[in-house]
Amino acid sequence: MSIRFPLQADGLLDAQQTAPRFKSVAGAGESPLALGTAVLSSDQVFSPLMIMKQSALENNLRQLADFCRENGVILAAHGKTSMSPAVLRRAISEGGAWGLGAATPAQVRALRQFGIRNVFLANELVDPAGIRWIAQWQQQHPDHGFLCYVDSLQGVKLLAQNLGDSQISVLLEMSVSGGRTGCRSQQDALAIAEAIAACPALKLVGVAGYEGALGAGRDESGIQRVKDYCQMMIATAELLAEKQLFASDHIILSAGGGAWFDVVTACFTAAKLPLPMTPLIRSGAYMAHDSGLYARIAPFSQPGATHHFAASLEIWGRVLSRPEPGLAFVDFGRRDVPFDQDLPNPLWIRNADGSAPRAATHLRISDVNDQHAYLLLPEDEPLQVGDWVGCGISHPCTAFDKWRYLPLVDDDYCVTDSLETAF
């Protein structure tokens, strides 16, 4: 139908069709890209697209598995970063993780559906519907491991009211003033531990915390702040052990997110407690790593590190416009890339047909709107409208949630697997 002027609404709608599932796949967007598809030269790809590089993912899984084995720590890799079964199952099968971490009951449910047998809800469990669902699952699957936090008497009460005949293992979470969730004093910790011990539905198996909420930097004072926090958790575990409030003769100490698992490991493995102890760390961002925040602060990014992570995520978009000297616009933005820590970091340029890869490190993204990235570039840069720009991202924990599907690719950017997410 030709356009009529002036524009006139006809009030008509076509029949509704199934919504496209994969925004980076051309056509109907209902199926992932075929294995072997060269994503930067294929007519089956819509721009922009986020990809994950298989070689980097495999390296990162292997590097942390080696670290854990060398230091005698257990890993419950945090699943919330990707919420992708194809990635997270690899953390168990290839990365040697004991299980996976979750932050909400809905994430616990998703991990169970992914086939994960051991799950650590690294948070308080206070939602009645969530408690009941987890209780039912544990009754039906008694061989599946489950852990969660408690940090209040009311939390103990809610668990007791909703667990029914089920019994779960809990860790008492500790924190500091101004921190995140967690008990603030040993006096309160003792009262909560006594309430747990008096509740048939609960077994106290350890002490936990999250050092990342301290906001410490990688300088001497920041490192000491994390060490002091670890020592507070150790001292709490010692007190509860002396009071015989743990449900077994073996306890867990758990902390260690993506930025501080080296310091946490050193503190926990050196601890002298009245009972045998297992250190359990919970890094999750390591699977993806990044080209910004974690490239600066992650333990394996520090001078003298014997292991290394590689950034596995890249966002690729096409140049939309070069409206003035020194400025171009690329077709991705806040809907496609994380922007809470750093803006995307240009790495590569390719011609519109995917050919002629070349470095883009002389370019810079200065801002992002919903679907536009402001790309600063030299006036004599030959980048053309339609060309590809590939960028590293910062903070992978806010990258995957923008994509229901990412192709896993080899180093030639050919598809090796499909990564779907469950946010």
Side-chain angles (χ1 to χ4, degrees):
M1 181 177 68
S2 61
I3 297 176
R4 293 170 290 169
F5 292 95
L7 295 178
Q8 296 176 3
D10 60 17
L12 300 178
L13 291 171
D14 289 335
Q16 183 169 325
Q17 302 179 39
T18 302
R21 298 178 61 203
F22 309 127
K23 64 182 180 182
S24 57
V25 178
E30 295 177 350
S31 301
L33 295 169
L35 298 182
T37 300
V39 297
L40 299 179
S41 59
S42 173
D43 62 4
Q44 296 302 305
V45 173
F46 276 171
S47 174
L49 77 157
M50 181 85 77
I51 60 94
M52 189 173 201
K53 302 189 81 170
Q54 180 173 320
S55 59
L57 170 61
E58 291 174 346
N59 168 80
N60 298 344
L61 293 172
R62 183 174 61 252
Q63 294 288 332
L64 192 57
D66 290 346
F67 172 87
C68 291
R69 184 180 61 255
E70 293 162 5
N71 290 276
V73 299
I74 303 299
L75 173 64
H78 219 325
K80 71 175 178 62
T81 302
S82 71
M83 289 304 291
S84 171
V87 173
L88 298 177
R89 287 172 65 88
R90 288 173 182 248
I92 307 293
S93 62
E94 300 175 25
W98 162 84
L100 291 178
T104 67
Q107 290 177 6
V108 173
R109 179 180 60 190
L111 295 180
R112 294 304 195 195
Q113 292 174 340
F114 294 171
I116 306 304
R117 296 175 63 85
N118 295 325
V119 176
F120 187 168
L121 176 59
N123 211 345
E124 278 64 33
L125 177 56
V126 300
D127 174 61
I131 298 171
R132 290 193 291 268
W133 186 90
I134 288 169
Q136 182 180 32
W137 183 279
Q138 293 306 124
Q139 283 189 324
Q140 295 172 350
H141 304 85
D143 57 333
H144 288 193
F146 178 78
L147 303 168
C148 72
Y149 289 170
V150 175
D151 78 345
S152 68
L153 294 175
Q154 179 65 12
V156 173
K157 182 179 179 180
L158 286 167
L159 288 169
Q161 289 173 341
N162 291 281
L163 281 171
D165 296 332
S166 296
Q167 185 181 64
I168 62 171
S169 297
V170 300
L171 291 87
L172 198 153
E173 185 189 13
M174 298 297 296
S175 190
V176 296
S177 179
R180 212 161 67 179
T181 54
C183 185
R184 276 9 187 205
S185 72
Q186 286 197 354
Q187 180 179 358
D188 288 343
L190 184 58
I192 296 165
E194 290 172 343
I196 294 170
C199 178
L202 302 179
K203 293 173 57 179
L204 181 62
V205 298
V207 173
Y210 176 57
E211 75 293 339
L214 299 179
R218 274 272 175 181
D219 54 19
E220 185 175 344
S221 62
I223 293 171
Q224 188 59 51
R225 191 175 179 184
V226 173
K227 288 181 177 179
D228 291 344
Y229 181 46
C230 290
Q231 292 304 320
M232 181 264 287
M233 285 186 278
I234 293 168
T236 302
E238 183 176 15
L239 172 65
L240 301 185
E242 291 173 350
K243 298 290 186 179
Q244 299 183 343
L245 291 172
F246 289 110
S248 71
D249 59 0
H250 194 105
I251 59 177
I252 299 168
L253 283 180
S254 179
W260 294 100
F261 62 78
D262 57 335
V263 177
V264 169
T265 293
C267 290
F268 284 177
T269 55
K272 305 298 183 184
L273 292 171
L275 295 173
M277 181 271 297
T278 295
L280 188 153
I281 61 173
R282 304 190 308 272
S283 179
Y286 76 99
M287 296 178 225
H289 197 50
D290 71 8
S291 301
L293 176 68
Y294 284 100
R296 296 190 300 272
I297 68 173
F300 295 170
S301 299
Q302 306 311 308
T306 57
H307 296 282
H308 72 281
F309 291 144
S312 68
L313 294 179
E314 293 176 5
I315 180 74
W316 284 82
R318 292 191 183 274
V319 177
L320 290 167
S321 173
R322 289 200 60 174
E324 61 185 70
L327 177 65
F329 286 91
V330 185
D331 64 352
F332 56 73
R334 296 179 180 183
R335 304 290 183 173
D336 312 297
V337 296
F339 56 94
D340 57 316
Q341 294 290 342
D342 303 293
L343 294 172
N345 179 27
L347 300 174
W348 303 103
I349 298 169
R350 291 192 181 220
N351 293 343
D353 62 0
S355 65
R358 54 202 186 274
T361 52
H362 59 299
L363 311 183
R364 182 171 68 87
I365 290 177
S366 63
D367 198 5
V368 287
N369 299 151
D370 277 4
Q371 302 292 173
H372 293 78
Y374 292 68
L375 182 66
L376 305 184
L377 68 174
E379 294 184 17
D380 60 354
E381 166 58 52
L383 187 70
Q384 297 185 44
V385 169
D387 284 352
W388 286 108
V389 177
C391 298
I393 60 92
S394 182
H395 199 199
C397 296
T398 52
F400 286 93
D401 60 316
K402 303 177 188 304
W403 296 86
R404 297 174 67 182
Y405 158 77
L406 300 81
L408 187 69
V409 302
D410 61 21
D411 290 345
D412 294 320
Y413 292 89
C414 294
V415 177
T416 62
D417 201 354
S418 298
L419 310 180
E420 297 189 40
T421 65
F423 286 99

